[in-house]
Amino acid sequence: QVQLVESGGGLVQAGGSLRLSCAASGSIFSINDMGWYRQVPGKQRELVAAFTDGGTITYEDSVKGRFTISRGNAENTVYLQIDNLKPEDTAVYYCNAQRVRGGSYWGQGTQVTVSA
């Protein structure tokens, strides 16, 4: 089993910045790619940014140039730097880790609220 713990969410004014963190613990040898998703009530969870194929980075179009995903020195940590926040970025942000054998793990989510 793998546990993912997110932190760094909060309330921020439009134009501000946040840095989200996700730390994986447990059987981290069983996971490979990690990334971030977000979800608003009534909508499907959507990919925001992720490492894929071991190193390639993919971003959702609306966040390109504003969001930056990175890894910590430890392979089990991933960050999401969010700059120039917009009200439409308001959502619960979830950390995701892909299992080597298929499927994925999810964190509990961290709320990001952007005021106009």
Side-chain angles (χ1 to χ4, degrees), residues 22 33-37 47 49-51 69 78 94-98:
C22 174
D33 297 322
M34 295 179 69
W36 291 92
Y37 288 67
L47 173 69
F51 290 98
I69 188 171
V78 65
Y94 294 91
C95 181
N96 171 271
Q98 296 291 307

Side-chain angles (χ1 to χ4, degrees), residues 1-4 24-31 97 105-106:
Q1 281 291 90
V2 172
Q3 295 77 42
L4 302 176
S25 61
S27 303
I28 60 174
F29 58 86
S30 67
I31 61 175
Y105 295 100
W106 293 96

Side-chain angles (χ1 to χ4, degrees), residues 41-62:
K43 292 189 176 182
Q44 285 190 329
R45 194 170 296 186
E46 64 173 3
L47 173 69
V48 174
F51 290 98
T52 61
D53 298 327
T56 303
I57 295 175
T58 186
Y59 291 101
E60 195 271 328
D61 285 345
S62 70

Side-chain angles (χ1 to χ4, degrees), residues 1 38 44-45 67 93 108:
Q1 281 291 90
R38 66 185 179 187
Q44 285 190 329
R45 194 170 296 186
F67 288 23
Y93 284 71
Q108 80 286 354

Side-chain angles (χ1 to χ4, degrees), residues 17-20 66-70 79-83:
S17 298
L18 284 174
R19 189 188 193 210
L20 307 184
R66 300 188 298 119
F67 288 23
T68 305
I69 188 171
S70 62
Y79 303 99
L80 186 67
Q81 177 68 37
I82 311 175
D83 297 317

